[in-house]
Amino acid sequence: ISQDHYLHGLDLEFPLPSKNQTKLANGETEVHHRPKRGWIWNQFFVLEEHMGPDAQYVGKLHSNSDKGDGSVRYILSGEGAGTIFIINEETGDIHATKSLDRERKTHYVLHAQALDRNTEEALEPKSEFIIKVQDINDNAPKFPDGPFVATVPEMSEVGTSVLQVTATDADDPTYGNSARIVYSILQGQPYFSVDPKTGIIRTALANMDREAREHYTVVIQAKDMAGQVGGLSGSTTINITLTDVNDNPPTFPQKNYQLYVPESAQVGKPVGKIKANDEDLGVNADIKYSIINSEGANMFSISTDRDTREGIISLKKPLNYERKKTYTLHIEGTNTHVDPRFSYLGSFKDTATLKITVGDVDEAPIFSMDYYIMDVYENVPSGTEVGMVTARDPDSRNSPVRYFLDSKEEGVRYFRIEENSGLIRTTQPLDREAMPWHNITVMASEVGRYPAHVPVTVQVLDVNDNPPEIATDEEVIVCESSRPGQLIQTVTAVDKDDFANGQRFSFALPSQLPVNPNFTLKDNEDSTASILARRRRFNHLTQELYELPIVVWDGGEPSLSGTSTLTLRVCPCQSYGKVRMCQGEAFLSSAGLSTGALIAILLCIVILLAIVVLFITLRRSKKEPLIISEEDIRENVVTYDDEGGGEADTEAFDIIALRNPAAAEELKFRRDVRPETRKHVDPPRSRRSPSVELDEVDVHEFIKQRLVEADMDTSVPPYDSLQTYAYEGQGSPTGSISPLDSPGTQSEQDYNYLDDWGPEFQKLAELYGEAESDVTT
């Protein structure tokens, strides 16, 4: 192939491209092609964008077998064959019928073949070749991401990088200068510049101030053909904004300010505001305010409002026009975020002077004390002086003050106040026992002005005006077995008066009454008294209730006395340690039952007993007799309910038989009557006689002997027989209780020990006690 675009030797006589060979370790050779610049051996070239009227000539196919007689026919196949590219079958000339665009398709792969026109046999093997579209400069550079937005800090140094822009060109970058781009700045000078090769935009002017100009518009052009004449170009816009730095100190618009504040201003509340201007933005404009002189800092404080950046001035202490009428404040405003790069510009703070004028306000009166505590005795007559309150007008005019009480309070009905002097008096007698403290509110005001308030507490002092009384919380019980001098009850007294009058009481029985024969009273001299029994034995059946009047004196000045009557109830007592209770009450309390419950229990017991008796009766009525015939020869038990002949009947109740069983061996008779079982409370062993113990042993042996004989006797009836031996015993360990054997009626015997034997002997002790008392009387 030559530069005239001819292709020869289709039968493998194609001229091959030069190549370098490298022998590898495995014996194969690696081919290194060395292409020539602009074209290679097996390709054709065709210009893009051909606009001529005729088809564009591409090249020529030729076979060595072609003798020029028209016997060879050339065939073209592959991409675009027959549509874009056509071939002359006789001559092999190839033409492009359409205008091609390299940016859409850079090359086409086709196949060429030579055939014998007559036989249609292939004269050459099919060969592949490439038609490459040759580039022309038909595409301008473009900025695909534009327009751009960029920022750069103000006051930046010259050459500070802002942004890099990149343009693209669709032309072939490997052929000619069609895609070689050069950047230039069309707008934005002298503030910014652009690197012609890289497209980096940089600052070109020093000390650009955002406060002077914040926004800039820069236009960048990209031109191909290395910027030569005839090249194509494209442009883009970059909007550059200067960002803020703290390069401006705060400044007060004025150096002197004035502010009016009334003396009634509340502590802690804002009274005014001041503001310093700062041309910076954001944190660079944050300002902290402070009062730098002591006169102003003692009375006022200043803080910064985050939103408005104003200095809010507040009051620290109350103002007083009469004491100080003006204040001078030196206020300083300082940036909180300082940039050390701009320290050469000076200190980033400013000061101003604020003169505050205190305004006079008509103030409410001021009391001499925050609260008053007064006292007055109870029972004093109406109009008695309690105390005085004083108030003054704090204003320079010193207007007169009027006093009055708050009518909404309860204590007003007990007190009144003099309008001009502030003297408080009572309106009625006071009772400490009903209300020991009174709280009232006194108001003071100028004529037609708002009043001031002050609390007043009045304490009612005690006077000994209440007599003492006997404290009778519990019932006084007198035991029937009480002895002379025995303690019945210890009583105390109560007094409604205060302890300041001395809670010491004295007790005595009324002197105008005759001597009480039943009870006496002993003053224990410790504010208590003891009631003592004066005689032996009481009987609740004879008299159950006694009244005992007692006189008690308090220790106040003057001393008061009162008489209280106690009711004493007599009842049988039962001891529980040191506490004595009535027997009836003790039973009920221990059982924990009411009277109705006890009646119900008794009724249930009676019904059960009736059912048992009925059941036994029915069973006895249903029993069949053991002897059906009257002629039954078995023995019958015949019972004779004969009491006997009394003490003269010595045969049936011969006690000698029990004492001497051997002498009565022949006296064997049946006893079919079961004797009644007698309950006997054995006295203590120490009081039993030896003779009684011996008799009991003989009786036991006798009974055992009779039991063995009854078991072994074969002549007795087949059923059991009951043999009873009624042995009463001889004498009593406690001796005779008959009054016939008593030593005499004048005996000094004490029967109180019978109480220790139990409730069974208590009645006996009472009978002897009453008998002895009657004899004494």
Side-chain angles (χ1 to χ4, degrees):
I1 187 170
S2 66
Q3 291 190 3
D4 292 333
H5 304 289
Y6 288 97
L7 186 63
H8 303 282
L10 291 178
D11 53 354
L12 299 179
E13 292 184 2
F14 282 109
L16 297 176
S18 62
K19 55 188 177 180
N20 295 328
Q21 296 182 353
T22 302
K23 182 171 288 188
L24 301 177
N26 56 5
E28 298 180 357
T29 57
E30 183 181 1
V31 180
H32 303 281
H33 297 277
R34 185 177 62 188
K36 289 189 177 181
R37 197 172 75 179
W39 50 277
I40 58 176
W41 293 109
N42 60 343
Q43 66 182 11
F44 289 144
F45 290 90
V46 60
L47 290 176
E48 65 170 337
E49 305 292 345
H50 177 68
M51 305 302 292
D54 299 330
Q56 184 181 3
Y57 179 74
V58 178
K60 184 180 181 64
L61 295 179
H62 185 73
S63 175
N64 294 334
S65 301
D66 189 0
K67 304 300 181 179
D69 54 0
S71 61
V72 177
R73 185 165 68 92
Y74 296 97
I75 297 175
L76 186 65
S77 63
E79 295 177 342
T83 56
I84 299 176
F85 304 101
I86 58 174
I87 188 171
N88 190 325
E89 293 184 353
E90 295 181 356
T91 63
D93 293 329
I94 301 173
H95 291 80
T97 61
K98 296 181 179 180
S99 177
L100 303 180
D101 188 359
R102 189 202 68 85
E103 284 69 40
R104 293 182 61 185
K105 191 169 179 62
T106 59
H107 63 279
Y108 297 85
V109 179
L110 294 99
H111 298 86
Q113 191 173 13
L115 302 177
D116 188 315
R117 186 180 297 275
N118 297 322
T119 62
E120 293 297 327
E121 293 182 359
L123 300 176
E124 302 287 349
K126 184 182 291 187
S127 299
E128 182 182 276
F129 66 97
I130 297 174
I131 298 178
K132 185 175 182 181
V133 182
Q134 190 171 2
D135 181 52
I136 63 173
N137 189 17
D138 59 343
N139 290 279
K142 295 180 180 179
F143 293 91
D145 299 328
F148 301 91
V149 176
T151 59
V152 64
E154 63 173 333
M155 309 298 289
S156 297
E157 297 179 357
V158 176
T160 301
S161 176
V162 179
L163 180 69
Q164 182 178 14
V165 294
T166 302
T168 60
D169 196 321
D171 292 327
D172 189 1
T174 62
Y175 179 77
N177 294 326
S178 298
R180 185 179 178 186
I181 299 173
V182 175
Y183 299 96
S184 61
I185 184 168
L186 300 182
Q187 180 182 339
Q189 294 176 331
Y191 305 103
F192 300 94
S193 63
V194 64
D195 191 303
K197 293 182 179 181
T198 61
I200 297 177
I201 303 172
R202 303 178 184 274
T203 57
L205 188 64
N207 299 327
M208 285 191 294
D209 191 1
R210 185 200 64 82
E211 289 73 31
R213 181 178 176 183
E214 184 175 3
H215 301 287
Y216 296 86
T217 300
V218 177
V219 178
I220 301 296
Q221 182 189 61
K223 190 173 183 180
D224 59 10
M225 298 299 293
Q228 298 177 4
V229 178
L232 303 178
S233 64
S235 62
T236 186
T237 302
I238 301 97
N239 294 315
I240 301 176
T241 302
L242 298 182
T243 57
D244 183 64
V245 297
N246 190 10
D247 58 340
N248 293 279
T251 56
F252 288 99
Q254 301 173 215
K255 290 299 180 183
N256 296 285
Y257 295 87
Q258 291 186 352
L259 181 64
Y260 173 83
V261 179
E263 63 175 335
S264 60
Q266 298 183 9
V267 175
K269 299 294 184 179
V271 297
K273 54 188 176 181
I274 190 172
K275 183 178 182 181
N277 297 328
D278 194 325
E279 296 180 355
D280 296 322
L281 299 175
V283 297
N284 297 320
D286 288 345
I287 302 174
K288 179 182 178 181
Y289 297 93
S290 59
I291 301 174
I292 58 178
N293 65 320
S294 59
E295 176 186 350
N298 291 334
M299 293 296 296
F300 299 91
S301 62
I302 189 169
S303 59
T304 305
D305 189 314
R306 292 184 177 181
D307 298 329
T308 62
R309 294 189 174 92
E310 294 175 329
I312 308 300
I313 302 170
S314 301
L315 188 62
K316 291 175 63 176
K317 298 179 181 179
L319 298 175
N320 192 334
Y321 172 81
E322 289 73 26
R323 185 177 301 173
K324 187 173 179 61
K325 298 179 175 60
T326 59
Y327 292 91
T328 301
L329 278 66
H330 297 298
I331 301 176
E332 181 182 75
T334 307
N335 278 145
T336 58
H337 297 79
V338 180
D339 194 336
R341 295 179 301 168
F342 305 104
S343 59
Y344 66 91
L345 298 177
S347 60
F348 282 73
K349 60 183 178 180
D350 195 15
T351 58
T353 301
L354 175 62
K355 184 177 181 181
I356 295 180
T357 302
V358 181
D360 188 18
V361 177
D362 189 7
E363 301 174 82
I366 300 176
F367 284 94
S368 60
M369 300 176 65
D370 294 334
Y371 59 91
Y372 293 85
I373 298 178
M374 305 176 182
D375 53 60
V376 62
Y377 281 98
E378 63 176 332
N379 303 329
V380 295
S382 176
T384 301
E385 295 184 2
V386 178
M388 180 181 292
V389 297
T390 57
R392 63 176 181 84
D393 182 13
D395 299 324
S396 57
R397 292 176 295 180
N398 196 16
S399 301
V401 177
R402 299 291 181 266
Y403 304 92
F404 54 95
L405 299 179
D406 189 353
S407 60
K408 298 179 182 179
E409 295 182 338
E410 181 68 20
V412 175
R413 62 191 180 100
Y414 298 100
F415 305 95
R416 60 183 175 85
I417 190 170
E418 294 183 359
E419 181 179 1
N420 297 323
S421 63
L423 181 63
I424 300 175
R425 299 178 181 271
T426 60
T427 60
Q428 56 183 297
L430 305 177
D431 186 4
R432 187 201 68 85
E433 287 71 36
M435 186 178 296
W437 296 87
H438 295 271
N439 295 315
I440 59 177
T441 300
V442 177
M443 295 182 287
S445 68
E446 306 170 42
V447 179
R449 301 294 181 182
Y450 291 104
H453 302 73
V454 67
V456 177
T457 301
V458 180
Q459 180 185 11
V460 182
L461 302 179
D462 183 49
V463 174
N464 192 20
D465 57 345
N466 291 277
E469 299 176 352
I470 298 295
T472 57
D473 296 338
E474 298 180 357
E475 185 180 20
V476 180
I477 297 175
V478 178
C479 294
E480 292 184 344
S481 60
S482 298
R483 298 185 297 274
Q486 184 174 348
L487 175 64
I488 303 299
Q489 182 84 7
T490 300
V491 295
T492 58
V494 293
D495 197 331
K496 295 181 180 179
D497 292 322
D498 193 8
F499 286 94
N501 287 314
Q503 289 290 337
R504 180 170 181 83
F505 303 103
S506 301
F507 303 85
L509 296 178
S511 59
Q512 66 273 15
L513 297 178
V515 177
N516 194 317
N518 302 310
F519 306 99
T520 184
L521 186 70
K522 177 186 177 182
D523 191 348
N524 298 326
E525 298 183 356
D526 59 353
S527 297
T528 64
S530 299
I531 301 175
L532 305 176
R534 196 160 191 163
R535 67 182 181 86
R536 182 187 303 275
R537 303 291 179 180
F538 293 87
N539 191 342
H540 73 284
L541 299 177
T542 305
Q543 182 175 352
E544 183 179 6
L545 300 177
Y546 292 88
E547 290 185 351
L548 181 64
I550 299 176
V551 183
V552 57
W553 290 269
D554 61 16
E557 292 292 338
S559 178
L560 297 180
S561 64
T563 301
S564 301
T565 300
L566 299 181
T567 300
L568 289 74
R569 186 164 69 93
V570 178
C571 67
C573 293
Q574 188 167 357
S575 298
Y576 294 94
K578 295 183 179 180
V579 181
R580 294 192 174 188
M581 298 179 63
C582 292
Q583 286 184 350
E585 292 183 356
F587 174 74
L588 293 177
S589 63
S590 63
L593 300 175
S594 62
T595 305
L598 291 174
I599 294 175
I601 292 173
L602 293 176
L603 287 176
C604 293
I605 293 173
V606 171
I607 292 172
L608 290 175
L609 290 176
I611 293 173
V612 171
V613 171
L614 180 61
F615 179 77
I616 294 174
T617 304
L618 292 176
R619 287 193 62 182
R620 288 184 178 180
S621 64
K622 290 181 180 181
K623 281 186 178 180
E624 296 181 359
L626 295 176
I627 303 174
I628 301 176
S629 173
E630 295 181 356
E631 298 179 357
D632 196 335
I633 61 173
R634 289 180 295 179
E635 295 181 357
N636 296 328
V637 178
V638 180
T639 302
Y640 296 93
D641 296 330
D642 188 5
E643 185 177 357
E647 295 180 356
D649 189 357
T650 59
E651 183 180 0
F653 297 93
D654 188 7
I655 203 67
I656 300 175
L658 296 179
R659 293 187 177 182
N660 190 7
E665 182 64 25
E666 67 279 359
L667 297 178
K668 296 182 180 178
F669 56 89
R670 292 176 52 196
R671 298 179 182 270
D672 296 331
V673 180
R674 180 187 296 273
E676 295 182 356
T677 302
R678 295 185 181 180
K679 293 183 180 179
H680 179 68
V681 179
D682 290 335
R685 284 286 181 179
S686 60
R687 298 184 181 181
R688 297 173 62 91
S689 62
S691 62
V692 176
E693 294 179 0
L694 182 59
D695 292 342
E696 287 184 358
V697 171
D698 295 341
V699 172
H700 293 165
E701 294 296 331
F702 178 74
I703 291 175
K704 289 181 180 179
Q705 184 178 358
R706 287 293 182 264
L707 180 60
V708 172
E709 292 176 357
D711 291 340
M712 300 300 295
D713 192 0
T714 58
S715 61
V716 298
Y719 46 85
D720 293 339
S721 63
L722 179 65
Q723 300 185 19
T724 60
Y725 301 92
Y727 173 64
E728 182 178 359
Q730 176 178 333
S732 175
T734 58
S736 176
I737 61 174
S738 173
L740 299 177
D741 298 334
S742 59
T745 57
Q746 303 297 328
S747 175
E748 296 298 330
Q749 178 70 26
D750 188 2
Y751 300 99
N752 292 329
Y753 68 88
L754 295 177
D755 293 341
D756 299 333
W757 289 8
E760 296 83 355
F761 295 91
Q762 186 175 6
K763 189 63 178 178
L764 185 62
E766 293 176 359
L767 292 176
Y768 275 91
E770 290 177 359
E772 184 180 356
S773 177
D774 294 339
V775 171
T776 305
T777 305

